[in-house]
Amino acid sequence: MENPLVAIFMGSASDEEAVAPAAQILRELDIPFKITVTSAHRTVARTEKLVDELERQGCLVFICAAGMAAHLAGAVAARTIRPVIGIPLTASALGGMDALLSTVQMPPGYPVATVALDKAGARNAAWLAAQIIALGNEPLAQRLQAARRKNAAAVEKAGQELERKFA
Ligand code: RP5
């Protein structure tokens, strides 16, 4: 198995459904990744060890998803200078605003690139990770361009169908 270029961490197994689209997209783009559960609060030492090990293995981007007091992305950003992408999750009665603010409001020098909540954020976390890696990986850059062309064609087709329907 190839060494992972991307790590996907989630704070709890209960986050799996929201985070799974990130893994799907990385798989479709043929980017090796590791996905696991680790918590900023409940498994501090495991989180630090994972970051250190993955860095040694050549992991380039960390994606971290958590709900409630969502400190996982921040804790990882404190441990590594590799890019960290945070996915806030709607896991509490506050509807995700708690996780959004916990993820996005990092102190200067420790950025977390925060994407949208839940599945939409998981998808964009994967695309953003892919774009970062594509800076030094021309075959991947080509795959991303091809995916964009496919998206554009799908939108155009939908537009034409709608125009015909209302003609
Ligand atoms: C966060 O608390 C997790 O990321 C999860 O979104 C939320 C609830 O966790 P569980 O109580 O389901 O383990 O740390």
Side-chain angles (χ1 to χ4, degrees), residues 10-15 37-42 65-72 87-92 99:
M10 62 196 85
S12 169
S14 64
D15 299 327
V37 176
T38 193
S39 166
H41 309 114
R42 292 180 279 202
M68 303 183 78
H71 297 138
L72 183 57
I87 311 168
L89 302 177
T90 58
S92 82

PDB file of all heavy atoms in Angstrom, residues 10-15 37-42 65-72 87-92 99, ligand 1:
ATOM      1  N   MET A  10     -11.225  12.232  12.249  1.00  0.00           N
ATOM      2  CA  MET A  10     -12.511  12.702  12.771  1.00  0.00           C
ATOM      3  C   MET A  10     -12.521  12.477  14.283  1.00  0.00           C
ATOM      4  O   MET A  10     -11.909  11.519  14.784  1.00  0.00           O
ATOM      5  CB  MET A  10     -13.693  12.010  12.088  1.00  0.00           C
ATOM      6  CG  MET A  10     -13.763  10.522  12.267  1.00  0.00           C
ATOM      7  SD  MET A  10     -14.881   9.749  11.068  1.00  0.00           S
ATOM      8  CE  MET A  10     -13.774   9.555   9.668  1.00  0.00           C
ATOM      9  N   GLY A  11     -13.245  13.343  14.981  1.00  0.00           N
ATOM     10  CA  GLY A  11     -13.193  13.331  16.441  1.00  0.00           C
ATOM     11  C   GLY A  11     -13.915  12.172  17.083  1.00  0.00           C
ATOM     12  O   GLY A  11     -13.657  11.834  18.235  1.00  0.00           O
ATOM     13  N   SER A  12     -14.833  11.558  16.324  1.00  0.00           N
ATOM     14  CA  SER A  12     -15.630  10.455  16.873  1.00  0.00           C
ATOM     15  C   SER A  12     -16.086   9.559  15.726  1.00  0.00           C
ATOM     16  O   SER A  12     -16.261  10.041  14.585  1.00  0.00           O
ATOM     17  CB  SER A  12     -16.854  11.019  17.600  1.00  0.00           C
ATOM     18  OG  SER A  12     -17.760   9.984  17.905  1.00  0.00           O
ATOM     19  N   ALA A  13     -16.322   8.298  16.034  1.00  0.00           N
ATOM     20  CA  ALA A  13     -16.875   7.397  15.011  1.00  0.00           C
ATOM     21  C   ALA A  13     -18.248   7.887  14.563  1.00  0.00           C
ATOM     22  O   ALA A  13     -18.689   7.603  13.447  1.00  0.00           O
ATOM     23  CB  ALA A  13     -16.969   5.984  15.568  1.00  0.00           C
ATOM     24  N   SER A  14     -18.917   8.661  15.414  1.00  0.00           N
ATOM     25  CA  SER A  14     -20.245   9.176  15.045  1.00  0.00           C
ATOM     26  C   SER A  14     -20.155  10.218  13.921  1.00  0.00           C
ATOM     27  O   SER A  14     -21.161  10.616  13.349  1.00  0.00           O
ATOM     28  CB  SER A  14     -20.942   9.789  16.269  1.00  0.00           C
ATOM     29  OG  SER A  14     -20.220  10.916  16.730  1.00  0.00           O
ATOM     30  N   ASP A  15     -18.954  10.665  13.572  1.00  0.00           N
ATOM     31  CA  ASP A  15     -18.758  11.648  12.493  1.00  0.00           C
ATOM     32  C   ASP A  15     -18.639  10.987  11.115  1.00  0.00           C
ATOM     33  O   ASP A  15     -18.568  11.688  10.099  1.00  0.00           O
ATOM     34  CB  ASP A  15     -17.479  12.467  12.744  1.00  0.00           C
ATOM     35  CG  ASP A  15     -17.529  13.265  14.037  1.00  0.00           C
ATOM     36  OD1 ASP A  15     -18.630  13.708  14.411  1.00  0.00           O
ATOM     37  OD2 ASP A  15     -16.464  13.452  14.659  1.00  0.00           O
ATOM     38  N   VAL A  37     -10.178   7.707  13.453  1.00  0.00           N
ATOM     39  CA  VAL A  37     -10.807   8.477  14.526  1.00  0.00           C
ATOM     40  C   VAL A  37      -9.730   8.841  15.535  1.00  0.00           C
ATOM     41  O   VAL A  37      -8.970   7.973  15.982  1.00  0.00           O
ATOM     42  CB  VAL A  37     -11.905   7.647  15.228  1.00  0.00           C
ATOM     43  CG1 VAL A  37     -12.492   8.425  16.402  1.00  0.00           C
ATOM     44  CG2 VAL A  37     -12.999   7.249  14.249  1.00  0.00           C
ATOM     45  N   THR A  38      -9.656  10.106  15.866  1.00  0.00           N
ATOM     46  CA  THR A  38      -8.784  10.544  16.951  1.00  0.00           C
ATOM     47  C   THR A  38      -9.316  11.874  17.460  1.00  0.00           C
ATOM     48  O   THR A  38      -9.891  12.648  16.710  1.00  0.00           O
ATOM     49  CB  THR A  38      -7.298  10.639  16.512  1.00  0.00           C
ATOM     50  OG1 THR A  38      -6.485  10.771  17.686  1.00  0.00           O
ATOM     51  CG2 THR A  38      -7.032  11.786  15.569  1.00  0.00           C
ATOM     52  N   SER A  39      -9.168  12.098  18.743  1.00  0.00           N
ATOM     53  CA  SER A  39      -9.831  13.252  19.352  1.00  0.00           C
ATOM     54  C   SER A  39      -8.814  14.220  19.951  1.00  0.00           C
ATOM     55  O   SER A  39      -7.802  13.799  20.523  1.00  0.00           O
ATOM     56  CB  SER A  39     -10.783  12.745  20.449  1.00  0.00           C
ATOM     57  OG  SER A  39     -11.192  13.810  21.274  1.00  0.00           O
ATOM     58  N   ALA A  40      -9.128  15.511  19.812  1.00  0.00           N
ATOM     59  CA  ALA A  40      -8.259  16.542  20.401  1.00  0.00           C
ATOM     60  C   ALA A  40      -8.275  16.455  21.916  1.00  0.00           C
ATOM     61  O   ALA A  40      -7.289  16.800  22.580  1.00  0.00           O
ATOM     62  CB  ALA A  40      -8.719  17.930  19.961  1.00  0.00           C
ATOM     63  N   HIS A  41      -9.404  15.996  22.462  1.00  0.00           N
ATOM     64  CA  HIS A  41      -9.569  16.008  23.919  1.00  0.00           C
ATOM     65  C   HIS A  41      -9.426  14.618  24.539  1.00  0.00           C
ATOM     66  O   HIS A  41      -8.856  14.464  25.615  1.00  0.00           O
ATOM     67  CB  HIS A  41     -10.953  16.569  24.283  1.00  0.00           C
ATOM     68  CG  HIS A  41     -11.238  17.874  23.610  1.00  0.00           C
ATOM     69  ND1 HIS A  41     -12.228  18.036  22.667  1.00  0.00           N
ATOM     70  CD2 HIS A  41     -10.642  19.078  23.711  1.00  0.00           C
ATOM     71  CE1 HIS A  41     -12.239  19.280  22.245  1.00  0.00           C
ATOM     72  NE2 HIS A  41     -11.285  19.939  22.850  1.00  0.00           N
ATOM     73  N   ARG A  42      -9.968  13.615  23.834  1.00  0.00           N
ATOM     74  CA  ARG A  42     -10.052  12.289  24.456  1.00  0.00           C
ATOM     75  C   ARG A  42      -8.830  11.422  24.180  1.00  0.00           C
ATOM     76  O   ARG A  42      -8.572  10.462  24.909  1.00  0.00           O
ATOM     77  CB  ARG A  42     -11.334  11.595  23.994  1.00  0.00           C
ATOM     78  CG  ARG A  42     -12.566  12.281  24.556  1.00  0.00           C
ATOM     79  CD  ARG A  42     -13.854  11.631  24.116  1.00  0.00           C
ATOM     80  NE  ARG A  42     -14.235  12.065  22.781  1.00  0.00           N
ATOM     81  CZ  ARG A  42     -15.486  11.998  22.317  1.00  0.00           C
ATOM     82  NH1 ARG A  42     -16.448  11.526  23.060  1.00  0.00           N
ATOM     83  NH2 ARG A  42     -15.765  12.407  21.091  1.00  0.00           N
ATOM     84  N   ALA A  65     -12.065  16.702  10.980  1.00  0.00           N
ATOM     85  CA  ALA A  65     -13.490  16.978  11.138  1.00  0.00           C
ATOM     86  C   ALA A  65     -13.888  16.745  12.585  1.00  0.00           C
ATOM     87  O   ALA A  65     -13.508  15.737  13.192  1.00  0.00           O
ATOM     88  CB  ALA A  65     -14.299  16.049  10.233  1.00  0.00           C
ATOM     89  N   ALA A  66     -14.643  17.700  13.134  1.00  0.00           N
ATOM     90  CA  ALA A  66     -15.130  17.507  14.502  1.00  0.00           C
ATOM     91  C   ALA A  66     -16.352  18.385  14.734  1.00  0.00           C
ATOM     92  O   ALA A  66     -16.556  19.393  14.048  1.00  0.00           O
ATOM     93  CB  ALA A  66     -14.038  17.840  15.519  1.00  0.00           C
ATOM     94  N   GLY A  67     -17.139  17.967  15.706  1.00  0.00           N
ATOM     95  CA  GLY A  67     -18.300  18.754  16.096  1.00  0.00           C
ATOM     96  C   GLY A  67     -18.117  19.304  17.491  1.00  0.00           C
ATOM     97  O   GLY A  67     -17.101  19.088  18.154  1.00  0.00           O
ATOM     98  N   MET A  68     -19.110  20.053  17.947  1.00  0.00           N
ATOM     99  CA  MET A  68     -19.119  20.673  19.285  1.00  0.00           C
ATOM    100  C   MET A  68     -17.904  21.613  19.464  1.00  0.00           C
ATOM    101  O   MET A  68     -17.662  22.443  18.620  1.00  0.00           O
ATOM    102  CB  MET A  68     -19.205  19.595  20.370  1.00  0.00           C
ATOM    103  CG  MET A  68     -20.440  18.698  20.180  1.00  0.00           C
ATOM    104  SD  MET A  68     -20.675  17.475  21.453  1.00  0.00           S
ATOM    105  CE  MET A  68     -21.376  18.479  22.746  1.00  0.00           C
ATOM    106  N   ALA A  69     -17.163  21.464  20.588  1.00  0.00           N
ATOM    107  CA  ALA A  69     -15.955  22.286  20.777  1.00  0.00           C
ATOM    108  C   ALA A  69     -14.861  21.703  19.901  1.00  0.00           C
ATOM    109  O   ALA A  69     -13.999  20.945  20.349  1.00  0.00           O
ATOM    110  CB  ALA A  69     -15.539  22.273  22.247  1.00  0.00           C
ATOM    111  N   ALA A  70     -14.911  22.059  18.624  1.00  0.00           N
ATOM    112  CA  ALA A  70     -14.156  21.333  17.594  1.00  0.00           C
ATOM    113  C   ALA A  70     -12.705  21.807  17.539  1.00  0.00           C
ATOM    114  O   ALA A  70     -12.334  22.634  16.714  1.00  0.00           O
ATOM    115  CB  ALA A  70     -14.842  21.514  16.244  1.00  0.00           C
ATOM    116  N   HIS A  71     -11.880  21.235  18.371  1.00  0.00           N
ATOM    117  CA  HIS A  71     -10.488  21.675  18.478  1.00  0.00           C
ATOM    118  C   HIS A  71      -9.514  20.760  17.739  1.00  0.00           C
ATOM    119  O   HIS A  71      -8.309  20.989  17.793  1.00  0.00           O
ATOM    120  CB  HIS A  71     -10.080  21.770  19.955  1.00  0.00           C
ATOM    121  CG  HIS A  71     -10.881  22.794  20.700  1.00  0.00           C
ATOM    122  ND1 HIS A  71     -11.381  22.586  21.966  1.00  0.00           N
ATOM    123  CD2 HIS A  71     -11.292  24.023  20.333  1.00  0.00           C
ATOM    124  CE1 HIS A  71     -12.058  23.658  22.342  1.00  0.00           C
ATOM    125  NE2 HIS A  71     -12.018  24.531  21.383  1.00  0.00           N
ATOM    126  N   LEU A  72     -10.034  19.729  17.071  1.00  0.00           N
ATOM    127  CA  LEU A  72      -9.119  18.750  16.461  1.00  0.00           C
ATOM    128  C   LEU A  72      -8.229  19.394  15.396  1.00  0.00           C
ATOM    129  O   LEU A  72      -7.014  19.196  15.399  1.00  0.00           O
ATOM    130  CB  LEU A  72      -9.937  17.588  15.868  1.00  0.00           C
ATOM    131  CG  LEU A  72      -9.135  16.453  15.247  1.00  0.00           C
ATOM    132  CD1 LEU A  72      -8.161  15.848  16.254  1.00  0.00           C
ATOM    133  CD2 LEU A  72     -10.069  15.381  14.699  1.00  0.00           C
ATOM    134  N   ILE A  87     -13.094  20.669   8.932  1.00  0.00           N
ATOM    135  CA  ILE A  87     -14.519  20.507   8.582  1.00  0.00           C
ATOM    136  C   ILE A  87     -15.328  20.593   9.878  1.00  0.00           C
ATOM    137  O   ILE A  87     -15.291  19.677  10.701  1.00  0.00           O
ATOM    138  CB  ILE A  87     -14.805  19.135   7.931  1.00  0.00           C
ATOM    139  CG1 ILE A  87     -13.831  18.814   6.803  1.00  0.00           C
ATOM    140  CG2 ILE A  87     -16.257  19.084   7.427  1.00  0.00           C
ATOM    141  CD1 ILE A  87     -13.904  17.362   6.334  1.00  0.00           C
ATOM    142  N   PRO A  88     -16.074  21.685  10.059  1.00  0.00           N
ATOM    143  CA  PRO A  88     -16.934  21.759  11.239  1.00  0.00           C
ATOM    144  C   PRO A  88     -18.192  20.897  11.030  1.00  0.00           C
ATOM    145  O   PRO A  88     -18.729  20.857   9.925  1.00  0.00           O
ATOM    146  CB  PRO A  88     -17.315  23.250  11.320  1.00  0.00           C
ATOM    147  CG  PRO A  88     -16.709  23.920  10.128  1.00  0.00           C
ATOM    148  CD  PRO A  88     -16.176  22.885   9.211  1.00  0.00           C
ATOM    149  N   LEU A  89     -18.628  20.244  12.089  1.00  0.00           N
ATOM    150  CA  LEU A  89     -19.778  19.342  11.963  1.00  0.00           C
ATOM    151  C   LEU A  89     -20.944  19.804  12.839  1.00  0.00           C
ATOM    152  O   LEU A  89     -20.746  20.353  13.928  1.00  0.00           O
ATOM    153  CB  LEU A  89     -19.367  17.918  12.366  1.00  0.00           C
ATOM    154  CG  LEU A  89     -18.205  17.313  11.570  1.00  0.00           C
ATOM    155  CD1 LEU A  89     -17.845  15.934  12.112  1.00  0.00           C
ATOM    156  CD2 LEU A  89     -18.533  17.234  10.080  1.00  0.00           C
ATOM    157  N   THR A  90     -22.146  19.517  12.378  1.00  0.00           N
ATOM    158  CA  THR A  90     -23.356  19.913  13.124  1.00  0.00           C
ATOM    159  C   THR A  90     -23.733  18.819  14.105  1.00  0.00           C
ATOM    160  O   THR A  90     -24.728  18.121  13.930  1.00  0.00           O
ATOM    161  CB  THR A  90     -24.538  20.150  12.161  1.00  0.00           C
ATOM    162  OG1 THR A  90     -24.763  18.949  11.425  1.00  0.00           O
ATOM    163  CG2 THR A  90     -24.282  21.269  11.199  1.00  0.00           C
ATOM    164  N   ALA A  91     -22.928  18.672  15.163  1.00  0.00           N
ATOM    165  CA  ALA A  91     -23.127  17.538  16.063  1.00  0.00           C
ATOM    166  C   ALA A  91     -23.823  17.917  17.364  1.00  0.00           C
ATOM    167  O   ALA A  91     -23.934  17.087  18.264  1.00  0.00           O
ATOM    168  CB  ALA A  91     -21.771  16.908  16.374  1.00  0.00           C
ATOM    169  N   SER A  92     -24.281  19.152  17.491  1.00  0.00           N
ATOM    170  CA  SER A  92     -24.835  19.554  18.782  1.00  0.00           C
ATOM    171  C   SER A  92     -26.111  20.378  18.621  1.00  0.00           C
ATOM    172  O   SER A  92     -26.506  20.721  17.513  1.00  0.00           O
ATOM    173  CB  SER A  92     -23.817  20.391  19.550  1.00  0.00           C
ATOM    174  OG  SER A  92     -23.862  21.731  19.098  1.00  0.00           O
ATOM    175  N   ALA A  99     -18.987  24.481  16.342  1.00  0.00           N
ATOM    176  CA  ALA A  99     -17.852  23.833  15.671  1.00  0.00           C
ATOM    177  C   ALA A  99     -17.219  24.775  14.646  1.00  0.00           C
ATOM    178  O   ALA A  99     -15.991  24.814  14.491  1.00  0.00           O
ATOM    179  CB  ALA A  99     -18.316  22.549  14.996  1.00  0.00           C
TER     180      ALA A  99
HETATM  181  C1  RP5 B   1     -16.840  15.727  18.880  1.00  0.00           C
HETATM  182  O1  RP5 B   1     -18.002  15.588  19.602  1.00  0.00           O
HETATM  183  C2  RP5 B   1     -16.902  14.701  17.788  1.00  0.00           C
HETATM  184  O2  RP5 B   1     -16.192  15.145  16.658  1.00  0.00           O
HETATM  185  C3  RP5 B   1     -18.366  14.556  17.509  1.00  0.00           C
HETATM  186  O3  RP5 B   1     -18.770  15.356  16.414  1.00  0.00           O
HETATM  187  C4  RP5 B   1     -19.027  15.076  18.781  1.00  0.00           C
HETATM  188  C5  RP5 B   1     -19.812  14.030  19.504  1.00  0.00           C
HETATM  189  O4  RP5 B   1     -18.977  12.927  19.744  1.00  0.00           O
HETATM  190  P1  RP5 B   1     -19.587  11.562  20.330  1.00  0.00           P
HETATM  191  O5  RP5 B   1     -20.200  11.911  21.648  1.00  0.00           O
HETATM  192  O6  RP5 B   1     -20.608  11.070  19.323  1.00  0.00           O
HETATM  193  O7  RP5 B   1     -18.419  10.631  20.436  1.00  0.00           O
HETATM  194  O8  RP5 B   1     -15.708  15.538  19.660  1.00  0.00           O
END
